[in-house]
Structures are given as C-alpha cells and as structure tokens.
C-alpha cells in the first residue's frame, strides 16, 4: 500500500495528522511518536523494516486494510537511527508537543529535528577522534567556495578553491566531509563523483538564510563567502531544524597559510589511516596521539592535516613543547587533570541542540572542577592562555544536579534537596505522608482544642478528620469543615487545607517530575548563556592537550626540535620513520638526508624491499611534523619551510573510476608538475613502472629533467631504471644515492642504509626467493636474466653515439618557427574568403623563402 494511493478522508484523525506532517518531509524517514514508540508507516515502514531487519506489521487507520507499519521503542531509538543514517537515509523525529494528560482530543505533534549523515550531534553516534562535517559548495565558474561545519563541536570554516573538480574532491576527502549541500544547477558530473564514486551524501537546496545568525559572518567582506555560508545555514536551520547558538564565528582558511597536501599525499603517507586496511591503527596520528581528551585528539589531527607555513607560529609551538619537556612534573600533573575533562565541545553541541541530559551536566561539572588547578599550571608554565574557570556554573551544578540521575530528563530524581523550596516540600510529602498526618493532627488539636481528634485515610474518601460524637459541638462554623461520613460513634470531616494537602500528597510524584524537568530546563538555559565562553575554554584545553601529547612523543620517541632555515636546504642526521620504528620487528636503521642549496634531487636506486619508499616517506613525515609544530624523529634536523608536498608512492588500480595504475601514475605526476613551486617537495617512487619499459624509462627521464631544470624543487626520485643514473653527470642539481644490500653465496641481506652513489642491480630474483617462489621458477628466471644481461652488454658495446641514450636532456629554448607563429595569429572564423586566400598565399611564399 502506497501513501499517495490512500483516500485521506477515510483515514483516522491520527493518521491524517501523520500524513500532513509527512507531506512536509517526503524525503526523510519519519519517526512518528506514539506513546512509548516511534512508528513508521507506508513506504517508510517498509524501508525501515528491511534496513533494520524488523518485522513489518500493520495498523488500523480507518481503512479496510491495515497500513504497513514498523516501530521501535523511543528509549532505545539511537542505534536504529545510527544504522539508517549510516546507510544514507535522513531521519525526521516527530515528537508529541503536548502532554497527553493535559490535552483533550488529538495530541499536537511536530518534527523537532532532522538527522542526516553530516548533522549527527549525539556523541554516542560519533567518532571521538574525528570531526563530523557537512558542507555547502558554491560554483562561481572560476572559483569554488567550500563552507563546512561540525554541528557537534560548533565549528564552521570557509575557503576558496581553484576551479578544479579534482582539487575540490581532494579537499572534501581530506577533511572527511560526510554530506554536501549543492544548488540544483551544480555540474551533474560533480554530483555523480561525490555520490557514486565516494559515497558522500548529497542534498539539493536553492535557498539561503538571510536574517538569522548574521553574527557568525558579520566580519566577512567577501560576498561569495557570505553566499556560501548562508546557503549552508539555511539547510541546517530551516531544513534540519538545528539550533546554532553554540556555533563560533566563521573561520576563513587561507591556502597560503598552510602546507598544501592533496588526498593522494595524505593517503600515501598514511597520516590518518593505513593504505591497506583504511584503519587509524598504525597511521601517523595513531602514533602521536597521546591526548587525554577527545577535544585534544581532534585538535592534534587538525594540526597534522594543516601544517603551518608561518615560521613564527611554528616556533611558538616548539617553545611550548620545550617548556613542557623541561617542566615534566607540571606536565604530568596537567595531563592527569586533563584526563578528568570530558568532551566540552560536544556537550555544548548537545546543549544547543536540545538533547542534553543530566548526566551530560555531571560530565560538565566534573570538567569544570579541575579548571582552577589547570589555570594555576598555565600560570606556572607562563603560557599565553587566559582560562575561564566558570566558577558560577560549577557551583550551580554542584548544588542542583543529583550525582546519579537517570538517562532521561522526565523520570525525576534530577534535582538535589535544598535547591528549590517547593520541590523540597513535595519530596517531603512524598517521603513521609505519615509524618505529615501526625504533624497536621497535632496542629489541629492545638488550634481547635479537640484532644481526641484524629486524621486518617481511606481509599474511598481519601484523607479525613475524625471527631467523636461527644466532641462534635466543638466543630465551629468558622473552621469551614465539611462533613463527609457519619459513623456510629464518630463523624468524619474534610477541611480545605486537608483537601489541598491530600492533592499534593497523591499527586506529589507527578508534580515532582514536572517541577524537576522545569528546573532542569532553567539550569540548562542558564548554562546556555555561557555557551561561547565554554567553547573558548574547550579550545584552550584542546590546545594544551595537543601540546602535551607532542611533548610526550618527543620524550618517548626521542624526537628533537628542528631548526627552520630559509636557504632551501635539508640536513637530517639519522632520520627515522617513527611508525615503522615503533611497530617494526627489527632494530630500525636510521639514515641521513642531506640536500644543500646546490642539490635539488636525490635519485635513489636500490633493491626491492631495501627501504627506498620508507626513506622517502620519512622525509615527508618529518617535514609535516616540523610544520605542524612537533619535534621530529632524528638526531638533528635543519629543514626549510615547504609550501606543497606531492607524492606518487605505491601502485594500485582505481577500481571505482576504472582507471589503470599507469593513468593514476600520470595524473599524480601531472598534479606535481603543474602545481609544484621552487619551495615544494615531490616524492616519486618508481615512476613509469605502470607501462612498457622503454615508455616508462623515457617518461621518467623527461619528468625528472623537467623538475630538475624548470621547477627546481626538492625531489626524491626512486627508480629501477639504472640508465637514469647517468643524469647526475649532465644535471648538477641531481645526486645519486642508493640503499645498500650485501650479497653472499647467493643470499641477499638488506642493510637499509642510504649511501652516496648509484647501484646497478635490482636483486629482484632474490626478493622472489624471500617471498617463497619455487626454486624451479627462480632458476629459470636466472637463466633468462643472464641472456638479457649479455644482450644488453653487446648493445652497449656497439653504441657509438651518445645522442641515442635513453637519458635524453630536455632541449633548451627551441628556435621559434615563423610559419607556426603566423598561423597562431590567424582566426579563420573572423576572416572573409578573400582574406583567407591572401593569407594562404603569403604563407606559401614564406615557405619558399
């Protein structure tokens, strides 16, 4: 049964209400609150039952047949929402907006929030180490503007990007943006790539938010940036009903402030996840993240993915790490205090979005408790942070919230005794109805003089005042008692005061729950006024945690403070790859990397498995660590400020796009050649191996020449094409180095040591032997290799002319051809037939000359 096929006038009132609400959210799965359940109907019910593996049932809705229905308990809805959102569905939560007990007729309902892949705020559904971004993309034909926000932490950023789909997608993937909001006229190819190839949720929205949250972007002058920001805000506020009061002002990111790395570089270097398993374990962030808070982990990852280019800012971080290293006792105390801090950023996000509970407030209180101690440590360390200790909020929470409250906020047992007088009275009544009766009875005896008066209770009449027949005359009219029951030897009365107290006693539990909820909302609203101040505190704590983590790494892994130079030179003594050193089974062999201002390229040769790729990666990792403000894994390091890093390491077909290894090789090589500057770093590992030998060798040679002579940036170029080593003679900025190996009795030992000079042997058959290839194959391979080597030797002896060597030098500036230049100036579309004939005649005469 489909929703649009139903005659609405035949539906029950409740189902008509559902249909009206569903009309406003046709694309979302509508979780419709009915009592203790969320129910989904029609197509939504069928989808949910299939995706959540729940039973599809039916519900009477006024029609002849039952409508399809699937339901989940409201108190256990979180995992169901998580599963649906992870599969790319949007979920609209429809709540009862009135208390059914106080409502006659239909309870008013409405959608209170929409949850999509990029707008989850519940910390139980989020990765504590990662931000959770949703973005808007605006295409200005010559420029892309990307505005992305994390609702859970309240951060929002905007940046401009060159008009290149490749660079835009690289930025989206690097920042792990989960959902993008586009305009309807967006390039269809871009939508297909985002959604089809990379699994990013795509939403279409045309409108912008004009009159709300202007404080977030009031200081931004660029109208293009503003347009993109307002486009994202409309989607979040109007479409997904988000309260953004916790959002910090928009942060403009300028590309020139940071070391640029595309998605290939971050993946090849395994900065945040491994290449093979796509897991955090054994990545660089896994190694250096010693943070005690989730906020610190996210901050450290942000630093890692956005290394600085400003020498002053980098040096500031070095100085703070140095201070922490020297004040190690304070550092240990600081880290112990930070361990007590919960995720204040995401608590603030929950506070703004309305799904905060009392346990979240207890976490906030526990976090605030240690702030005075941390503030004192900051002063001792002489760091330039001014930490707000939020004493008022701490005291409010200390005297108001029970230490062990329930998960939901409508069960009572939230507010401590002594916080609210009315609540205390209600709790006293709930606790001791007997005590109240005794006290009230004594009070009446004193005021009336009736000594044998009793106060009792039964289920029929409730509470009553009992007077013996002989004392009835003492009941004066001015007491306003009302006779309720006559017995043989006594009369029973009720009084206005007793009736009032009776109502209080009998309804105390319900009133306590309502009052505690209202008090909780008051407390929450009070804290909400300091949301931005709490976020400033969280920012400081996250930086302290990240710095302390880098200090621990420097101590634990024997990192050293690098020196930054402006002479474009690299001097690394005994550098190491920190992750391989940590997890490797053998003792790590450290290596120098020396490239003074006269050397731009190291041409690296050596056997497979000898460590060429590791040597290249460790240089890039050292540069990134240094520019994020960390110490580096070396005995000493003198490094330049690098503006961009490009890598081509490893070979794997892109099965999604259908591109071959060689096509990916060439695309990544193109990115480097086109994008690199003199201050960049390029790592090319065995470029050209994806095609035929002579093709690959020629391309590798030409690309290496171009980089060395035209771009002149620092380059590490590993190769198995031993013919390339002759380039050292012809281009003085190239230096040959090799990773050494020792061969004894047919057995190869890899020494992993980088030495000057070239090597002319690959040891491929020896590597195959280590891999366990059968001896029969290995022996035959050796026979074939001997034949090839003899043929190659004969060809070399017969060569007379150096001009046919594979290592061809790039021709310098070629002489310009005047005929070609003249042709370039002609525009046939603007010429008359006669002008075209004359031009052709002139060209022909020129050729004769």
């Amino acid at each position: 049964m489909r929703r649009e096929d139903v005659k609405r006038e035949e539906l029950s009132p409740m189902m008509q209400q559902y249909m009206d609400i569903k009309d406003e959210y046709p694309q979302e799965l509508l979780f419709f609150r009915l009592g203790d359940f969320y129910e989904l109907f029609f197509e939504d019910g069928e989808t949910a039952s299939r995706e959540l593996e729940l039973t599809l049932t039916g519900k009477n809705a006024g029609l002849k047949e039952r409508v399809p229905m699937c339901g989940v308990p409201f108190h256990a809805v979180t995992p169901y929402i998580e599963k649906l959102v992870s599969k790319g569905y949007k979920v609209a939560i429809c709540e009862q907006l009135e208390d059914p007990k106080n409502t006659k007729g239909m309870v008013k309902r409405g959608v209170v929030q929409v949850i999509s892949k990029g707008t989850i705020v519940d910390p139980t559904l989020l990765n504590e180490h990662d931000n959770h971004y949703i973005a808007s993309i605006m295409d200005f034909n010559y420029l892309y503007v990307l505005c992305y926000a994390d609702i859970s932490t309240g951060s929002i950023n905007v940046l401009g990007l060159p008009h290149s789909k490749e660079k835009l997608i690289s930025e989206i993937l690097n920042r792990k943006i989960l959902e993008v909001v586009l305009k309807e006229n967006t390039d269809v190819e871009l939508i297909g790539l985002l959604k089809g190839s990379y699994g990013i949720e795509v939403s279409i929205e045309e409108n912008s938010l004009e009159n709300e949250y202007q404080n977030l972007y009031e200081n931004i002058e660029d109208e293009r940036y503003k347009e993109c920001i307002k486009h994202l805000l409309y989607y979040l506020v109007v479409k997904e009903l988000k309260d953004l009061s916790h959002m910090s002002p928009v942060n403009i990111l300028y590309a020139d402030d940071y070391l640029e790395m595309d998605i290939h570089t971050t993946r090849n270097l395994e900065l945040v996840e491994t290449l093979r398993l796509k897991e955090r374990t054994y990545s660089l962030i896994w190694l250096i993240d010693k943070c005690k808070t989730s906020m610190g982990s996210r901050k450290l990852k942000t630093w890692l993915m956005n290394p600085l280019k400003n020498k002053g800012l980098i040096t500031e971080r070095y100085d703070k790490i140095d201070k922490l290293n020297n004040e190690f006792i304070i550092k240990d105390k600081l880290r112990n205090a930070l361990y007590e801090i919960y995720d204040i950023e995401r608590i603030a996000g929950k506070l703004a979005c309305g799904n905060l509970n009392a346990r979240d407030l207890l976490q906030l209180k526990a976090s605030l408790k240690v702030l005075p101690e941390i503030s004192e440590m900051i002063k001792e360390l002489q760091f330039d942070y001014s930490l707000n200790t939020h004493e008022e909020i701490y005291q409010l929470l200390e005297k108001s919230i029970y230490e062990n409250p329930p998960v939901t906020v409508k069960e009572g047992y939230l507010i401590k005794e002594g916080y609210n007088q009315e609540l205390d009275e209600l709790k006293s009544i709930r606790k001791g109805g007997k005590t109240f009766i005794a006290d009230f009875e004594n009070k009446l005896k004193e005021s009336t003089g009736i000594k044998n008066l009793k106060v009792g209770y039964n289920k029929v009449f409730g509470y009553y005042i009992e007077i013996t027949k002989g004392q009835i005359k003492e009941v004066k009219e001015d007491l306003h008692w009302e006779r309720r029951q006559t017995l043989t030897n006594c009369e029973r009365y009720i009084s206005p005061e007793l009736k009032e107290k009776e109502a209080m006693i009998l309804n105390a539990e319900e009133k306590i729950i309502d009052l505690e909820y209202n008090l909780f909302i008051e407390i929450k609203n009070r804290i909400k006024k300091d949301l931005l101040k709490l976020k400033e505190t969280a920012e400081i704590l996250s930086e302290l945690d990240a710095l302390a983590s880098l200090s621990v790494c420097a101590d634990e892994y024997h990192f050293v403070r690098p020196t930054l130079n402006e002479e474009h030179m690299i001097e690394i003594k005994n550098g190491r790859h920190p992750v391989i050193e940590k997890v490797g089974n053998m003792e790590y062999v450290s290596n120098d990397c020396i490239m003074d201002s006269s050397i731009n390229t190291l041409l690296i040769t050596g056997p497979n498995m000898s460590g060429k790729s590791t040597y290249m990666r460790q240089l890039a990792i050292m540069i990134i660590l240094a520019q994020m403000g960390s110490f580096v894994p070396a005995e000493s390091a003198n490094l330049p400020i690098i503006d961009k890093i490009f890598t081509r390491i490893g070979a794997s077909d892109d099965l999604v796009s259908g591109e071959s290894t060689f096509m990916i090789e060439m695309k990544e090589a193109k990115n480097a050649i086109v994008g690199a500057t003199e201050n960049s770093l390029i790592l090319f590992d065995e470029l050209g191996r994806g095609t035929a030998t002579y093709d690959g060798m020629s391309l590798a040679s030409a690309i290496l020449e171009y980089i060395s002579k035209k771009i002149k940036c620092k380059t590490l170029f590993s190769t198995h094409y031993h013919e390339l080593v002759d380039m050292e003679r012809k281009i003085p900025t190239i230096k040959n180095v090799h990773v050494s190996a020792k061969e004894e009795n047919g057995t190869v030992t890899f020494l992993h040591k980088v030495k000057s000079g070239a090597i002319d042997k690959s040891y491929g058959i020896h590597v195959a032997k280590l891999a366990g290839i059968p001896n029969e194959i290995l022996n035959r391979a050796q026979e074939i290799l001997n034949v090839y080597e003899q043929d190659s030797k004969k060809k070399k002896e017969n060569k007379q002319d150096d001009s046919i060597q594979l290592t061809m030098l790039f021709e310098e500036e070629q002489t310009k051809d005047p005929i070609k230049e003249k042709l370039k100036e002609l525009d046939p579309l603007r010429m008359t037939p006669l002008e075209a004939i004359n031009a052709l005649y002139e060209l022909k005469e020129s050729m004769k000359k």
Side-chain angles (χ1 to χ4, degrees):
M1 183 186 298
R2 298 175 61 82
R3 190 167 64 90
E4 60 264 29
D5 298 335
V6 171
K7 292 181 180 180
R8 297 201 176 194
E9 62 273 13
E10 296 179 1
L11 292 171
S12 63
M14 185 278 294
M15 190 55 69
Q16 287 181 8
Q17 183 189 51
Y18 166 83
M19 298 288 270
D20 291 340
I21 296 172
K22 179 63 183 173
D23 287 343
E24 298 177 23
Y25 298 91
Q27 305 302 321
E28 291 79 10
L29 296 177
L30 183 62
F31 276 59
F32 192 74
R33 177 73 178 271
L34 286 170
D36 289 339
F37 282 83
Y38 287 110
E39 296 184 0
L40 300 95
F41 303 106
F42 299 104
E43 294 92 337
D44 285 3
E46 292 169 354
T47 300
S49 68
R50 181 181 67 251
E51 299 291 357
L52 299 175
E53 299 178 4
L54 297 173
T55 302
L56 182 68
T57 61
K59 190 175 187 73
N60 292 322
L63 303 175
K64 292 180 181 178
E65 57 180 307
R66 290 153 63 91
V67 302
M69 187 270 284
C70 173
V72 296
F74 87 95
H75 56 80
V77 72
T78 300
Y80 296 110
I81 293 175
E82 176 188 19
K83 191 170 184 180
L84 290 170
V85 169
S86 68
K87 291 188 174 188
Y89 294 99
K90 294 180 184 177
V91 172
I93 305 297
C94 179
E95 294 285 3
Q96 297 171 170
L97 303 179
E98 300 173 318
D99 188 339
K101 296 175 185 175
N102 304 325
T103 305
K104 291 183 179 179
M106 180 73 65
V107 175
K108 186 178 179 182
R109 293 180 176 84
V111 172
V112 295
Q113 65 170 321
V114 177
I115 303 170
S116 59
K117 195 178 279 189
T119 58
I120 299 172
V121 293
D122 188 340
T124 60
L125 303 181
L126 299 171
N127 184 329
E128 63 179 354
H129 300 298
D130 291 331
N131 285 98
H132 205 80
Y133 289 128
I134 180 173
S136 169
I137 301 170
M138 300 291 278
D139 185 352
F140 291 96
N141 296 322
Y142 57 91
L143 171 83
Y144 285 116
V145 175
L146 179 69
C147 177
Y148 61 97
D150 183 347
I151 309 302
S152 69
T153 63
S155 65
I156 182 167
N157 306 276
V158 66
L159 72 156
L161 295 166
H163 199 261
S164 159
K165 289 192 191 76
E166 194 172 347
K167 287 201 171 184
L168 174 64
I169 290 172
S170 177
E171 198 71 33
I172 290 169
L173 296 177
N174 250 348
R175 299 185 185 278
K176 291 207 167 180
I177 292 169
L178 301 170
E179 181 178 359
V180 295
V181 187
L182 305 171
K183 292 219 166 186
E184 202 164 331
N185 61 355
T186 303
D187 185 354
V188 176
E189 183 187 354
L190 177 60
I191 295 175
L193 283 170
L194 292 171
K195 197 166 187 176
S197 298
Y198 300 107
I200 294 166
E201 187 66 27
V202 175
S203 300
I204 304 298
E205 181 52 58
E206 293 299 302
N207 299 303
S208 298
L209 192 70
E210 296 296 338
N211 300 314
E212 294 181 64
Y213 296 109
Q214 293 175 348
N215 61 301
L216 296 180
Y217 56 85
E218 59 189 357
N219 295 325
I220 294 178
E221 296 179 358
D222 194 315
E223 290 298 325
R224 300 167 301 180
Y225 286 9
K226 282 186 179 178
E227 188 178 340
C228 191
I229 294 163
K230 291 190 283 188
H231 182 239
L232 180 60
L233 291 179
Y234 182 89
Y235 180 79
L236 295 174
V237 174
V238 178
K239 288 292 187 179
E240 300 226 336
L241 306 173
K242 304 299 182 190
D243 179 348
L244 304 182
S245 56
H246 66 302
M247 300 295 283
S248 302
V250 176
N251 177 39
I252 303 178
L253 297 176
Y254 297 100
D256 288 343
D257 292 343
Y258 304 99
L259 189 162
E260 182 181 318
M261 302 179 289
D262 62 17
I263 186 63
H264 307 297
T265 298
T266 58
R267 284 179 176 172
N268 286 334
L269 297 177
E270 299 184 306
L271 298 185
V272 295
E273 64 181 20
T274 57
L275 272 171
R276 179 172 292 181
L277 299 177
K278 309 293 183 191
E279 291 180 352
R280 190 175 193 266
T281 305
Y282 304 135
S283 67
L284 182 60
I285 190 65
W286 164 81
L287 182 82
I288 65 172
D289 186 358
K290 306 292 181 182
C291 293
K292 295 294 186 179
T293 71
S294 302
M295 300 179 294
S297 291
R298 292 194 296 272
K299 176 64 69 178
L300 192 67
K301 183 179 177 183
T302 300
W303 286 357
L304 177 63
M305 297 299 288
N306 298 276
L308 300 169
K309 285 162 58 178
N310 184 306
K311 186 176 179 180
L313 295 176
I314 296 170
T315 304
E316 276 183 31
R317 290 184 189 168
Y318 291 166
D319 291 341
K320 287 173 179 172
I321 293 171
D322 256 337
K323 187 74 173 179
L324 287 165
N325 288 347
N326 294 330
E327 301 287 353
F328 55 87
I329 295 175
I330 299 176
K331 177 178 71 177
D332 288 344
K333 287 168 58 182
L334 174 63
R335 298 187 75 232
N336 288 335
L338 287 168
Y339 186 69
E340 304 297 322
I341 303 285
Y342 288 85
D343 197 337
I344 298 175
E345 280 184 331
R346 284 186 168 158
I347 291 173
K350 288 187 74 175
L351 181 59
C353 295
N355 57 350
L356 189 86
N357 62 33
R359 294 185 182 184
D360 295 319
L361 290 185
L362 285 181
Q363 290 182 357
L364 179 60
K365 185 183 83 169
S367 303
L368 301 183
K369 184 178 181 180
V370 296
L371 293 188
E373 184 184 350
I374 293 175
S375 181
E376 287 302 313
M377 286 185 245
I378 290 173
K379 291 174 185 174
E380 289 182 62
L381 292 166
Q382 298 180 329
F383 284 176
D384 54 347
Y385 298 122
S386 178
L387 187 68
N388 187 334
T389 56
H390 303 282
E391 187 64 29
E392 184 183 343
I393 295 178
Y394 174 76
Q395 293 299 336
L396 172 64
L397 295 174
E398 173 64 20
K399 67 183 182 182
S400 62
I401 305 296
Y402 268 133
E403 300 303 329
N404 189 26
V407 176
T408 64
V409 294
K410 291 190 176 180
E411 294 181 35
Y413 300 96
L414 296 175
I415 308 298
K416 286 182 177 178
E417 293 179 11
Y419 179 72
N420 179 273
Q421 184 177 349
E422 181 184 355
L423 181 62
D424 289 348
E425 285 183 21
L426 286 168
K427 287 182 177 179
S428 175
I429 291 169
R430 181 181 65 184
K431 254 188 231 173
K434 292 180 180 178
T435 304
F436 163 73
I437 291 170
D439 291 344
F440 185 69
E441 186 177 287
N442 291 331
K443 178 182 169 186
L444 287 179
K445 286 179 180 179
E446 289 179 14
S447 63
T448 62
I450 305 173
K451 301 303 179 185
N452 61 354
L453 173 151
K454 292 180 181 178
V455 176
Y457 172 83
N458 66 35
K459 292 183 179 180
V460 178
F461 295 106
Y463 286 97
Y464 55 83
I465 304 166
E466 185 176 284
I467 307 291
T468 59
K469 293 285 188 181
Q471 299 289 319
I472 291 175
K473 60 181 182 298
E474 301 294 333
V475 179
K476 310 296 183 185
E477 287 187 15
D478 58 1
L479 292 175
H480 303 294
W481 289 3
E482 179 184 335
R483 183 183 279 111
R484 268 300 174 90
Q485 188 179 19
T486 301
L487 300 177
T488 306
N489 59 346
C490 64
E491 295 284 343
R492 290 177 176 174
Y493 300 84
I494 59 170
S495 71
E497 184 182 3
L498 183 60
K499 203 65 187 170
E500 181 184 340
K501 291 294 183 183
E502 177 187 64
M504 286 184 68
I505 293 168
L506 297 179
N507 299 314
E509 187 67 41
E510 187 178 328
K511 289 184 176 181
I512 285 169
I513 290 172
D514 290 342
L515 181 55
E516 286 203 345
Y517 177 73
N518 291 332
L519 291 171
F520 178 80
I521 298 299
E522 284 180 16
I523 294 165
K524 190 173 79 168
N525 289 337
R526 164 62 193 89
I527 298 171
K528 203 171 178 180
K529 292 178 182 178
D530 281 357
L531 259 184
L532 295 182
K533 291 180 181 177
L534 282 169
K535 285 200 64 203
E536 289 170 5
T537 298
E539 177 72 14
I540 292 171
L541 294 171
S542 67
E543 286 198 18
L544 283 170
D545 200 10
L547 288 166
S549 176
L550 293 177
S551 173
V552 170
C553 290
D555 182 50
E556 185 176 329
Y557 304 137
H558 307 294
F559 288 5
V560 297
R561 176 171 178 156
T563 302
L564 302 176
N565 69 72
E566 296 177 4
E567 287 75 44
H568 201 52
M569 57 191 289
I570 295 174
E571 290 182 348
I572 297 170
K573 294 286 188 182
N574 291 320
R576 314 182 304 277
H577 190 301
V579 179
I580 295 176
E581 181 185 30
K582 173 72 175 174
V583 302
N585 297 323
M586 299 181 293
E587 183 178 350
Y588 190 86
V589 178
S590 58
N591 276 299
D592 298 347
C593 183
I594 309 296
M595 301 174 75
D596 59 27
S597 53
S598 66
I599 298 296
N600 290 332
T601 303
L602 293 183
L603 184 57
I604 309 166
T605 50
N608 290 312
M609 290 180 60
S610 62
K612 299 191 299 296
S613 298
T614 299
Y615 180 70
M616 299 170 76
R617 282 189 174 101
Q618 75 185 39
L619 172 60
I621 285 172
M622 226 171 292
I623 296 280
I624 292 166
L625 285 172
Q627 289 184 220
M628 73 176 279
S630 169
F631 288 11
V632 298
E635 188 179 301
S636 66
N638 185 4
L639 303 169
I641 299 289
I642 297 294
D643 63 356
K644 302 174 185 178
I645 296 179
F646 299 93
T647 66
R648 173 56 200 169
I649 301 174
S652 58
D653 289 350
D654 186 342
L655 299 177
V656 174
S657 66
E659 292 179 345
S660 68
T661 298
F662 185 63
M663 176 58 82
I664 298 169
E665 271 193 282
M666 291 301 102
K667 282 191 171 184
E668 292 181 16
K670 182 266 295 183
N671 291 341
I673 292 165
V674 172
T677 71
E678 188 178 357
N679 296 317
S680 300
L681 173 67
I682 295 177
L683 308 179
F684 279 162
D685 187 16
E686 299 180 31
L687 192 70
R689 63 182 169 182
T691 187
T693 302
Y694 290 111
D695 277 353
M697 198 184 306
S698 303
L699 281 165
S701 177
I703 289 171
L704 184 54
E705 287 176 8
Y706 184 87
I707 293 171
S708 299
K709 300 182 75 173
K710 300 286 187 181
I711 303 175
K712 301 177 182 177
C713 65
K714 295 298 185 190
T715 304
L716 267 57
F717 198 108
S718 76
T719 185
H720 278 299
Y721 300 136
H722 299 295
E723 291 81 355
L724 299 185
V725 300
D726 287 343
M727 296 181 75
E728 182 185 56
R729 289 188 298 107
K730 313 238 173 135
I731 303 177
T733 57
I734 295 178
K735 179 183 177 182
N736 283 327
V737 296
H738 70 278
V739 188
S740 57
K742 182 172 68 175
E743 184 178 0
E744 288 182 349
N745 302 322
T747 301
V748 173
T749 304
F750 299 120
L751 303 178
H752 304 293
K753 199 69 180 174
V754 177
K755 298 180 179 180
S756 294
I759 197 169
D760 61 358
K761 197 168 184 180
S762 290
Y763 300 99
I765 293 176
H766 298 86
V767 174
K769 183 177 181 181
L770 291 175
I773 297 293
N775 286 330
E776 183 181 349
I777 296 174
L778 296 174
N779 294 335
R780 179 58 181 150
Q782 186 64 54
E783 291 172 6
I784 296 170
L785 178 62
N786 293 338
V787 172
Y788 280 135
E789 286 178 343
Q790 289 172 8
D791 288 347
S792 177
K793 187 176 180 181
K794 288 177 183 177
K795 287 178 182 177
K796 283 185 179 179
E797 289 172 354
N798 293 332
K799 283 185 180 178
Q800 301 290 328
D801 190 355
D802 278 349
S803 64
I804 61 171
Q805 287 184 5
L806 283 168
T807 308
M808 309 286 276
L809 289 178
F810 234 80
E811 287 186 12
E812 298 298 336
E813 196 67 24
Q814 293 182 350
T815 306
K816 291 185 178 179
D817 186 334
I819 305 295
K820 289 183 179 179
E821 295 301 314
K822 183 66 178 174
L823 279 168
K824 287 179 183 177
E825 294 173 6
L826 298 179
D827 185 354
L829 297 178
R830 295 180 180 273
M831 299 170 70
T832 65
L834 184 59
E835 288 172 338
I837 291 170
N838 289 335
L840 184 62
Y841 177 78
E842 290 174 10
L843 287 169
K844 189 174 181 182
E845 291 300 309
S846 299
M847 287 179 68
K848 287 179 181 178
K849 294 176 183 178

